[in-house]
Amino acid sequence: KLVMHFLNRITYKDASALLLSNLSPSSMDWKLDDLNSRIRSLIFSEIKLPDDLLLYSFMVKYSNDKKLVINDKQLIYILDRLERNFDSVISFIDKLDVYSLESKQKVNYKIIKTIFNEN
């Protein structure tokens, strides 16, 4: 009932809300027919994991921002072994940057493999 009142108040105030869920609106059962109908009438979108092209582009941008030179073959090698999310890319590139700076070496496969083995 509280969710229904909340949605009614938002509608009355001409306001907005962002609702996040692991379930799609069609698979939810709120025990109130009016609320089920209201939830299903909302605009919704599914957020999926990023694809390889997006992650690759993000890796290029993020490594460039850190002034870290990684060639295409190395980027693909890394991408093939990482989890498909931005946090994994950020974490890996950060570790690669620190390791490269501390060892005063350019990025190479030995460094990349060392970082993968540390995890």
Side-chain angles (χ1 to χ4, degrees), residues 19-30 39 44-46:
L19 305 174
L20 303 174
S21 174
N22 290 333
L23 303 173
S24 70
S26 61
S27 65
M28 294 178 180
D29 184 12
W30 290 90
I39 293 288
F44 66 93
S45 179
E46 181 180 359

Side-chain angles (χ1 to χ4, degrees), residues 32-82:
L32 290 172
D33 289 339
D34 288 344
L35 182 57
N36 281 327
S37 176
R38 177 79 54 94
I39 293 288
R40 289 184 179 112
S41 71
L42 298 174
I43 297 171
F44 66 93
S45 179
E46 181 180 359
I47 302 173
K48 296 181 180 183
L49 292 175
D51 64 4
D52 285 349
L53 180 60
L54 180 59
L55 278 177
Y56 178 85
S57 300
F58 181 73
M59 284 175 61
V60 169
K61 169 78 169 94
Y62 192 68
S63 59
N64 286 341
D65 288 349
K66 294 196 160 282
K67 309 286 190 259
L68 191 61
V69 179
I70 308 173
N71 69 40
D72 286 338
K73 288 183 180 183
Q74 290 168 335
L75 285 169
I76 292 169
Y77 180 87
I78 294 167
L79 184 61
D80 285 343
R81 287 155 180 79
L82 278 181

